[in-house]
Amino acid sequence: MVLNNIKTLIEKYNNAETSLQEEAQLKAYFNGDHVAPEFEHYKPMFIYFSKSKQEQYTKDVPLNSKKTKLYQWISVAAVAVLMLGLIVPSFMGPTEEEKQEALMVYNQTMEAFSLISLGMNEGKTQLSSLALVGENINEGAQQASKLSQFSIMTNKILKNN
Amino acid sequence: MKQADFVSLVMPFKDKVFRLAKRLLVSREEAEDATQEILLKLWKNNNKIGDYKNVEAFSMTMTKNFCLDRLKSKQASNLKIVHSNYTDNNTSLQHQVEAKDSVDWVSKIMEDLPEQQKIIVQLRDIEEYDYEDIAKMLDMNETAIRVNLSRARKTIREKLTNTHQYGIK
């Protein structure tokens, strides 16, 4: 009776039609000591399945992964770089002497520039007098043209006479 | 989600992930690495974990994909084959040696199965999931799973019968 039952179960099992309960039944049967000789060759399969299920994962999982640690250190590094950027120039910057020298050079150049601008202004006034001269010359030229007209006229009169 | 919550969520199925990884990658070390990788991935996405309806099924799918990728990649080309130790059978020594031998043989037969069938046998016969869950994990329909499972079981049976009757190895 039991044998018949197992036989039909195995048939169903091979066609993948068994339910989980039926499979558990088969497993229990084949893990037991009284397996009929005609099904002996199924035994290792079911024993293997039951044994495999007992295998366990024993390794620890480091949940605080290295990556997050790296991210933490990146912010620290960024702050350090920023601080260096702020502190180094103020320490390594120009000394008092260098500053005074620079100021002197600046003042000298400013003086030289103001001198040049003075000369420029003088030159400008002289230029305006030149422009006046130019105007007078133009007037003279006009008068000269009148004169030449006059001489042409006198020549004509002389020819007629 | 805090670390303790995560651990208690993952605890029940981390062995299943490991066993599936080992079924596919064969080597114990590789499987341990894969499991660690998968658990870390889950932990990294732990704020999204609440959105998944079934974290276990999701993890099994992830494991399957991860291991298949590993198998495809060159890294896995020099996989070592490591056998696990089986515990006492509680029978006589002669019997024990014999049983261990044929049980070992089953694992060798399973190594020769196509990946798809390996996964299905692992999920059904070892982890005892129902067809609906397996269908979700593998994104297949139940009929296809049954067909594959039936094929795998018949292959195992045939090879076992051969060794049993003629001692062919």
Side-chain angles (χ1 to χ4, degrees):
Chain A
M1 185 61 203
V2 175
L3 216 62
N4 254 336
N5 190 14
I6 292 297
K7 200 170 181 179
T8 48
L9 274 186
I10 284 210
E11 193 61 37
K12 273 174 85 182
Y13 175 81
N14 281 327
N15 293 323
E17 285 160 354
T18 38
S19 68
L20 281 175
Q21 285 84 1
E22 287 167 330
E23 278 167 29
Q25 227 176 306
L26 278 174
K27 266 182 203 173
Y29 174 75
F30 282 105
N31 275 302
D33 287 335
H34 309 290
V35 177
E38 54 178 313
F39 303 128
E40 189 74 36
H41 56 279
Y42 281 107
K43 203 176 165 166
M45 186 161 101
F46 287 102
I47 290 176
Y48 175 73
F49 289 156
S50 308
K51 287 271 174 288
S52 302
K53 212 189 170 180
Q54 287 159 15
E55 209 174 336
Q56 282 180 342
Y57 178 69
T58 46
K59 230 171 132 186
D60 278 337
V61 179
L63 285 182
N64 297 320
S65 58
K66 279 174 195 166
K67 256 189 182 163
T68 52
K69 268 184 192 164
L70 195 72
Y71 280 129
Q72 285 168 4
W73 283 110
I74 279 175
S75 64
V76 172
V79 168
V81 167
L82 204 73
M83 295 297 275
L84 274 178
L86 289 175
I87 290 167
V88 167
S90 64
F91 276 127
M92 309 281 278
T95 57
E96 211 53 32
E97 245 174 74
E98 280 173 329
K99 272 185 194 168
Q100 276 177 350
E101 212 171 292
L103 202 66
M104 236 168 66
V105 171
Y106 173 76
N107 285 338
Q108 278 174 356
T109 26
M110 284 317 276
E111 240 171 87
F113 279 146
S114 60
L115 273 176
I116 290 171
S117 74
L118 265 178
M120 289 274 277
N121 282 341
E122 266 173 42
K124 228 170 125 185
T125 48
Q126 281 166 356
L127 271 176
S128 64
S129 59
L130 255 181
L132 269 176
V133 170
E135 254 174 61
N136 289 341
I137 287 176
N138 279 346
E139 270 175 39
Q142 268 179 350
Q143 281 165 357
S145 70
K146 278 182 194 165
L147 259 179
S148 65
Q149 197 81 21
F150 179 73
S151 68
I152 291 168
M153 293 300 284
T154 42
N155 281 346
K156 276 185 186 170
I157 292 166
L158 282 176
K159 270 184 195 169
N160 288 346
N161 287 343
Chain B
M1 184 179 286
K2 281 179 187 158
Q3 193 163 333
D5 298 333
F6 178 76
V7 169
S8 62
L9 177 78
V10 158
M11 241 353 207
F13 63 82
K14 73 172 179 21
D15 291 334
K16 293 181 182 177
V17 166
F18 171 66
R19 289 192 289 256
L20 178 60
K22 185 156 178 278
R23 171 72 50 224
L24 288 168
L25 300 174
V26 180
S27 140
R28 190 184 179 92
E29 283 86 356
E30 282 280 339
E32 277 174 350
D33 286 352
T35 312
Q36 184 171 337
E37 198 80 11
I38 285 151
L39 292 181
L40 281 179
K41 271 187 192 171
L42 281 175
W43 171 241
K44 240 193 251 170
N45 293 330
N46 69 355
N47 45 350
K48 274 187 265 167
I49 248 175
D51 301 341
Y52 303 133
K53 278 180 199 142
N54 189 342
V55 181
E56 183 170 337
F58 176 74
S59 310
M60 295 307 269
T61 311
M62 230 166 97
T63 311
K64 182 204 84 179
N65 291 337
F66 182 84
C67 292
L68 292 183
D69 280 354
R70 291 283 291 183
L71 285 176
K72 265 187 227 158
S73 77
K74 278 183 186 170
Q75 273 179 308
S77 60
N78 49 2
L79 278 182
K80 284 171 277 173
I81 294 175
V82 178
H83 290 290
S84 46
N85 296 317
Y86 298 99
T87 44
D88 264 19
N89 237 354
N90 226 2
T91 37
S92 73
L93 186 67
Q94 177 63 31
H95 230 90
Q96 208 174 308
V97 170
E98 241 171 52
K100 186 180 184 310
D101 224 40
S102 33
V103 167
D104 250 4
W105 183 235
V106 179
S107 88
K108 271 183 203 142
I109 292 171
M110 281 194 69
E111 270 170 41
D112 291 338
L113 289 176
E115 251 96 53
Q116 188 82 286
Q117 293 183 15
K118 264 191 223 175
I119 298 168
I120 292 173
V121 171
Q122 175 74 22
L123 293 178
R124 177 67 185 184
D125 278 331
I126 297 175
E127 307 300 354
E128 292 165 358
Y129 284 113
D130 54 38
Y131 287 113
E132 201 189 330
D133 284 341
I134 299 174
K136 263 186 225 154
M137 286 172 197
L138 303 184
D139 195 22
M140 289 167 74
N141 63 33
E142 288 183 27
T143 327
I145 289 168
R146 278 173 201 267
V147 168
N148 267 303
L149 184 60
S150 162
R151 253 178 229 159
R153 281 171 174 175
K154 279 176 181 161
T155 313
I156 297 172
R157 183 198 56 184
E158 253 162 53
K159 288 192 177 172
L160 268 180
T161 319
N162 282 346
T163 39
H164 190 77
Q165 287 176 347
Y166 315 114
I168 305 166
K169 282 202 177 183

